[in-house]
Every structure is written in C-alpha cells, then in structure tokens.
Amino acid sequence: MSTSMGERLAELGSEAGIRFGLVVLWLMHWLPLPALAAIARGVGALLYRLAGSRRKVGLRNLELCFPAMPVAERQALLKQHFQWLTQSLLDRAVLWWAPAARIKKLIQVEGDIGLAERVWREEGRATMWLCPHFVGLDVAGAAILLCQPQPGASIYQTQSHPLLDRLMREGRLRFGDAEIFPRQDSIKPLLRAIKVGRGFFNLPDMDFGMQDAAFVPFFGVPAATLLAPSRMSRMLNMVVQPVIAELLPGGRGWKVKFLPPLAGFPTPDAEADTLALNRFIEGEILKNPAQYLWVHKRFKTRPPGEPGLY
C-alpha cells in the first residue's frame, strides 16, 4: 500500500471517528444532567489513564504552580480535573442542542448580571466579561446570552475539522444576540462591535506566544500573558467584570458568578494590570482548583535562553 493511500485511509478513519463521536454527543443531550455526570466520572477516570500526554502536562503544571503539594495530592487533584473536564465536554451536548428553557433551569446565576446593560444605558460604556479557563466557561457564555439582554461578542479559535468548527460556532451563537470573530483575523470588527455596545467575552489566561504579551508571574512562574485586557479596556473605556463558571457536583446544574468589576482596573501600566489580573485568577483557582484547565501548556513560551518546561 502506498504511503499516500495509507494516509488517506487514516484520514477517513479519523473522519468517521469524529462524526461518530458527534452523533453520540448529540444523542446524549436527551439524558438528564446527573446521568451525564455519572458517565463523566467513569470516562474521566479512563481518560486519566489513557491520555498520557495531557496527563503529563497537567501534572507538570500542578508541580510548577504547587511545588509544596505532595505528589499524591497533585495526582488526586488531576484525576478530579479529568472527571470535571469530561463532564464539561458532555455538558456541551445540552448547551448545543437542548431547549433554552431547560438550560436556563440548570443555570444558577449569582451577582450583578445586569451590570453590562446598566453601564451602557447610563454611561455609554461597554463591558468586558473576563472569563478565566475554568472547565465551565461555555456555560458562562450561555448564561450571558440567556440571562441578560446586552448583546455580546467574542473571539474563538477556529477548529481544524470543518464540522466541529461549525457545531462550535452554532452552539455558541444559538442564544441571544452575539457575534464571534476568528482569532487569526483582524481585530477591527471586534473593536467596532464593542464601540456600539456589545459586551466582550474575553478569555485572558492562555499562552498565545509573545505577540501583545509579557512574561508575568502566574503562581510564581513567568508566563506569557496577554496585555490586551488592560490595553483594550483602557482604550475603549470599558468596565471589566469577571465571570466565573462552576460545574455543580452530581449533575445538579451550573453556577455562574458575575463578580464586582475589578477595582482600579485598568491603569496606564498594562503589565502591572496583568499581574493584578493573574493574582485575581490565582485566588479564584484556589477556591476550586480541580475545575481549572490544567491540561493547557500555560508555560509553553519561555523567556529567551530558558529551557522548555514540558
């Protein structure tokens, strides 16, 4: 068999696997959330054993961020994380395909969810919803669109598989009034959307390299961190409101907390603002460490001359 034919058969097998997985996910949206949570516990435990590369990334992140924590505790924490991460993936079946009325019943909202509408109406200022990478961030997006009237906008990472990309876009746009823009495109359409009052759903804590970023400590480890939350909010005079999503145990639903705006944010010093934002995220992680996204290579980019950490 030629190499090209072998590659083609592998591609077909991968394509069939993706489509089969999506069909199974669609069927799961009929299940009650406690049933999905029970499935996630078993599948998550299996993935912890099978997903060796992601397990190593997660354990390395926990070692870097919590060096005083015993190894056994870090392993137990990551096992819990894999179960929560799996549950968040299965929950997308409900978020993508279940009726809006069902989803609203499952979301518990805390805090000042009406802030964005109020500051736009009274002050003409748009809001930046800051949503760190807890596993329930898709629930936070759904809560913003379902439970408050201010239109939204966000950036998303284009998926390599066209069907998965389409489903992700449709799933995130099916409620309310929202626009999403590919990360690799120009930022100008997003800026125009914010200027006419759309709230910006911003995920500030991933490593995208050094473009518009600085090395800022995250749990004491220099991490390439975007300066955009500070610079954009200052340039556009935005209110910056953190939004934290939590998956409740046993499939009891989701909690989304709309926290008070960050005090004294932004300032003219974007790097100091970014340090303050990282410290805020650290504090939220310590409240619920198992639901933070530990399997992302948060410290992939290193300062010049430093060796890689993974």
Side-chain angles (χ1 to χ4, degrees):
M1 182 183 295
S2 69
T3 301
S4 60
M5 176 144 327
E7 291 174 349
R8 179 58 180 159
L9 288 174
E11 290 174 1
L12 290 173
S14 176
E15 174 77 13
I18 290 173
R19 290 184 176 274
F20 176 76
L22 290 172
V23 169
V24 172
L25 189 64
W26 177 82
L27 290 172
M28 284 185 171
H29 89 272
W30 299 104
L31 295 176
L33 218 58
L36 292 179
I39 294 170
R41 285 194 294 273
V43 175
L46 181 63
L47 287 178
Y48 177 82
R49 292 178 176 275
L50 297 180
S53 61
R54 287 299 166 183
R55 183 179 67 247
K56 290 178 182 178
V57 170
L59 289 173
R60 181 60 169 149
N61 282 335
L62 290 173
E63 178 187 14
L64 292 167
C65 294
F66 304 112
M69 183 183 291
V71 173
E73 289 186 25
R74 293 200 294 261
Q75 291 172 339
L77 176 58
L78 192 65
K79 288 178 182 178
Q80 294 176 38
H81 172 68
F82 265 82
Q83 293 176 24
W84 287 119
L85 179 61
T86 304
Q87 182 173 332
S88 74
L89 297 175
L90 299 184
D91 285 354
R92 287 187 184 181
V94 178
L95 294 171
W96 288 0
W97 292 297
R102 179 188 173 194
I103 296 172
K104 288 186 72 172
K105 289 180 180 179
L106 292 169
I107 296 176
Q108 301 177 23
V109 172
E110 292 185 355
D112 190 0
I113 192 173
L115 176 70
E117 180 192 17
R118 190 169 65 252
V119 297
W120 177 253
R121 183 180 67 247
E122 297 176 359
E123 305 175 29
R125 300 175 67 194
T127 295
M128 179 183 293
W129 294 296
L130 276 177
C131 187
H133 271 82
F134 289 89
V135 296
L137 63 88
D138 279 82
V139 179
I144 286 170
L145 295 179
L146 282 170
C147 303
Q148 63 87 48
Q150 196 66 17
S154 187
I155 294 173
Y156 86 108
Q157 186 68 38
T158 304
Q159 302 298 302
S160 58
H161 191 276
L163 177 57
L164 184 58
D165 186 70
R166 178 173 64 83
L167 289 174
M168 185 169 289
R169 284 178 54 86
E170 291 176 353
R172 292 178 176 180
L173 292 173
R174 63 189 295 242
F175 305 120
D177 181 358
E179 294 181 346
I180 57 176
F181 305 95
R183 182 172 298 279
Q184 66 271 21
D185 287 2
S186 168
I187 197 174
K188 291 180 180 178
L190 173 63
L191 297 179
R192 288 195 293 268
I194 294 171
K195 288 177 181 178
V196 297
R198 291 187 177 273
F200 176 34
F201 186 73
N202 190 10
L203 286 60
D205 54 335
M206 295 193 81
D207 186 338
F208 290 110
M210 288 309 299
Q211 184 175 356
D212 192 30
F215 284 105
V216 179
F218 184 68
F219 283 106
V221 183
T225 310
L226 293 172
L227 301 172
S230 171
R231 290 175 173 172
M232 183 180 293
S233 58
R234 187 165 186 263
M235 178 178 67
L236 298 175
N237 191 28
M238 302 179 76
V239 176
V240 180
Q241 181 183 35
V243 181
I244 306 296
E246 177 186 354
L247 277 60
L248 300 177
R252 298 203 304 268
W254 313 295
K255 182 184 293 183
V256 181
K257 295 175 284 188
F258 288 78
L259 302 179
L262 294 177
F265 189 100
T267 72
D269 189 338
E271 194 163 333
D273 285 348
T274 305
L275 175 59
L277 180 57
N278 275 3
R279 287 178 173 167
F280 166 79
I281 295 172
E282 290 169 10
E284 293 301 312
I285 291 171
L286 292 175
K287 298 175 185 177
N288 193 5
Q291 291 196 24
Y292 190 68
L293 188 64
W294 294 113
V295 294
H296 166 65
K297 291 184 177 181
R298 184 65 185 87
F299 307 107
K300 176 177 61 176
T301 304
R302 305 315 307 141
E306 284 197 11
L309 295 176
Y310 299 101

